[in-house]
Amino acid sequence: MKLLLDTHLLLWAAGSPDLLPAAARPLLEDAQNELLFSAASLWEIAIKSGLGRSDFKVDARVLRRGLLDNGYQELVITSEHAVFIDSLLPLHKDPFDRILLAQASVEGITLLTTDSLVAQYPGPVRKV
């Protein structure tokens, strides 16, 4: 199964695995699953780190390299993903979460999230 991790899960998987929800661990450890990260997550991390957010204190370049070195696949943002945004219900206003939802929907990839609001969207979303 292809799994796209939301930004918080990505940060926890890479740097604070003890913060991962118990339901996420077996999914991330299953070698049969293909783990993906979005360029949008790195963009969010770079922006929020630059703003001094304490929960985003990580160098996005170092994180990207580490993810790639550990077998994660990068999912680029395409124009198809961007235009899909207008078909999403207005449940969530966060642009980063919305592009992750669009990517998951367009690509048929399961988005893993801890956000209960994001998990309300129809389609390939799974709350852990």
Side-chain angles (χ1 to χ4, degrees):
M1 173 174 21
K2 289 185 176 187
L3 302 172
L4 176 62
L5 279 67
D6 77 4
T7 306
H8 278 100
L9 283 173
L10 195 63
L11 287 168
W12 297 334
S16 302
D18 52 307
L19 295 178
L20 284 169
R25 294 174 195 269
L27 294 169
L28 302 182
E29 293 169 357
D30 185 342
Q32 299 296 317
N33 290 335
E34 184 178 340
L35 304 178
L36 294 97
F37 68 94
S38 173
S41 289
L42 294 181
W43 180 21
E44 179 179 15
I45 291 164
I47 288 172
K48 292 180 178 177
S49 176
L51 293 173
R53 288 264 309 256
S54 61
D55 54 340
F56 286 87
K57 288 199 182 270
V58 62
D59 184 321
R61 288 176 187 83
V62 173
L63 176 61
R64 179 182 182 272
R65 183 76 261 151
L67 292 167
L68 292 170
D69 288 348
N70 284 286
Y72 284 72
Q73 300 297 311
E74 183 173 2
L75 182 59
V76 299
I77 300 168
T78 68
S79 57
E80 186 177 7
H81 300 146
V83 299
F84 190 85
I85 296 288
D86 70 358
S87 65
L88 293 174
L89 298 171
L91 301 174
H92 201 305
K93 304 285 187 226
D94 185 287
F96 298 109
D97 287 330
R98 291 177 64 80
I99 195 69
L100 292 175
L101 285 159
Q103 287 182 294
S105 295
V106 168
E107 301 299 329
I109 298 169
T110 300
L111 174 62
L112 289 184
T113 185
T114 58
D115 188 322
S116 56
L117 194 53
V118 171
Q120 290 180 27
Y121 279 89
V125 182
R126 182 169 175 182
K127 186 176 184 304
V128 290

mmCIF file of all heavy atoms in Angstrom, residues 34-36 66-73:
data_model
loop_
_atom_site.group_PDB
_atom_site.id
_atom_site.type_symbol
_atom_site.label_atom_id
_atom_site.label_comp_id
_atom_site.label_asym_id
_atom_site.label_seq_id
_atom_site.Cartn_x
_atom_site.Cartn_y
_atom_site.Cartn_z
ATOM 1 N N GLU A 34 4.742 1.311 0.794
ATOM 2 C CA GLU A 34 5.618 2.314 0.187
ATOM 3 C C GLU A 34 5.311 3.647 0.856
ATOM 4 O O GLU A 34 4.174 4.120 0.814
ATOM 5 C CB GLU A 34 5.353 2.385 -1.313
ATOM 6 C CG GLU A 34 6.280 3.313 -2.044
ATOM 7 C CD GLU A 34 6.029 3.315 -3.546
ATOM 8 O OE1 GLU A 34 5.418 2.363 -4.066
ATOM 9 O OE2 GLU A 34 6.431 4.303 -4.187
ATOM 10 N N LEU A 35 6.312 4.236 1.492
ATOM 11 C CA LEU A 35 6.129 5.478 2.240
ATOM 12 C C LEU A 35 6.505 6.670 1.374
ATOM 13 O O LEU A 35 7.565 6.680 0.737
ATOM 14 C CB LEU A 35 6.970 5.450 3.516
ATOM 15 C CG LEU A 35 6.715 4.260 4.441
ATOM 16 C CD1 LEU A 35 7.650 4.313 5.642
ATOM 17 C CD2 LEU A 35 5.259 4.211 4.882
ATOM 18 N N LEU A 36 5.630 7.670 1.359
ATOM 19 C CA LEU A 36 5.852 8.863 0.556
ATOM 20 C C LEU A 36 5.766 10.117 1.410
ATOM 21 O O LEU A 36 5.062 10.145 2.425
ATOM 22 C CB LEU A 36 4.800 8.966 -0.559
ATOM 23 C CG LEU A 36 4.851 7.900 -1.623
ATOM 24 C CD1 LEU A 36 3.853 6.809 -1.331
ATOM 25 C CD2 LEU A 36 4.573 8.507 -2.975
ATOM 26 N N GLY A 66 17.452 12.793 4.517
ATOM 27 C CA GLY A 66 17.265 11.646 5.390
ATOM 28 C C GLY A 66 16.101 10.769 4.964
ATOM 29 O O GLY A 66 16.186 9.539 5.009
ATOM 30 N N LEU A 67 15.006 11.394 4.551
ATOM 31 C CA LEU A 67 13.853 10.623 4.085
ATOM 32 C C LEU A 67 14.207 9.813 2.843
ATOM 33 O O LEU A 67 13.899 8.626 2.754
ATOM 34 C CB LEU A 67 12.669 11.550 3.804
ATOM 35 C CG LEU A 67 12.048 12.213 5.031
ATOM 36 C CD1 LEU A 67 11.115 13.341 4.612
ATOM 37 C CD2 LEU A 67 11.325 11.195 5.904
ATOM 38 N N LEU A 68 14.846 10.465 1.885
ATOM 39 C CA LEU A 68 15.242 9.761 0.662
ATOM 40 C C LEU A 68 16.223 8.633 0.965
ATOM 41 O O LEU A 68 16.111 7.530 0.416
ATOM 42 C CB LEU A 68 15.847 10.741 -0.351
ATOM 43 C CG LEU A 68 14.860 11.753 -0.938
ATOM 44 C CD1 LEU A 68 15.609 12.817 -1.731
ATOM 45 C CD2 LEU A 68 13.814 11.065 -1.793
ATOM 46 N N ASP A 69 17.165 8.892 1.858
ATOM 47 C CA ASP A 69 18.158 7.873 2.234
ATOM 48 C C ASP A 69 17.521 6.691 2.947
ATOM 49 O O ASP A 69 18.086 5.598 2.966
ATOM 50 C CB ASP A 69 19.249 8.478 3.128
ATOM 51 C CG ASP A 69 20.197 9.395 2.367
ATOM 52 O OD1 ASP A 69 20.163 9.402 1.113
ATOM 53 O OD2 ASP A 69 20.958 10.133 3.033
ATOM 54 N N ASN A 70 16.355 6.916 3.545
ATOM 55 C CA ASN A 70 15.667 5.849 4.274
ATOM 56 C C ASN A 70 14.513 5.233 3.490
ATOM 57 O O ASN A 70 13.639 4.590 4.061
ATOM 58 C CB ASN A 70 15.200 6.365 5.635
ATOM 59 C CG ASN A 70 16.357 6.456 6.602
ATOM 60 O OD1 ASN A 70 16.834 5.448 7.093
ATOM 61 N ND2 ASN A 70 16.836 7.663 6.853
ATOM 62 N N GLY A 71 14.506 5.437 2.184
ATOM 63 C CA GLY A 71 13.568 4.740 1.326
ATOM 64 C C GLY A 71 12.233 5.423 1.067
ATOM 65 O O GLY A 71 11.385 4.863 0.379
ATOM 66 N N TYR A 72 12.030 6.607 1.610
ATOM 67 C CA TYR A 72 10.804 7.344 1.314
ATOM 68 C C TYR A 72 10.866 7.853 -0.122
ATOM 69 O O TYR A 72 11.936 8.212 -0.619
ATOM 70 C CB TYR A 72 10.632 8.542 2.253
ATOM 71 C CG TYR A 72 10.179 8.195 3.645
ATOM 72 C CD1 TYR A 72 11.026 7.572 4.550
ATOM 73 C CD2 TYR A 72 8.900 8.526 4.068
ATOM 74 C CE1 TYR A 72 10.606 7.274 5.836
ATOM 75 C CE2 TYR A 72 8.474 8.240 5.365
ATOM 76 C CZ TYR A 72 9.341 7.606 6.231
ATOM 77 O OH TYR A 72 8.925 7.315 7.510
ATOM 78 N N GLN A 73 9.709 7.915 -0.764
ATOM 79 C CA GLN A 73 9.597 8.456 -2.112
ATOM 80 C C GLN A 73 9.025 9.868 -2.022
ATOM 81 O O GLN A 73 8.114 10.128 -1.236
ATOM 82 C CB GLN A 73 8.675 7.588 -2.977
ATOM 83 C CG GLN A 73 9.148 6.164 -3.137
ATOM 84 C CD GLN A 73 10.485 6.077 -3.847
ATOM 85 O OE1 GLN A 73 10.666 6.675 -4.890
ATOM 86 N NE2 GLN A 73 11.412 5.350 -3.262
#
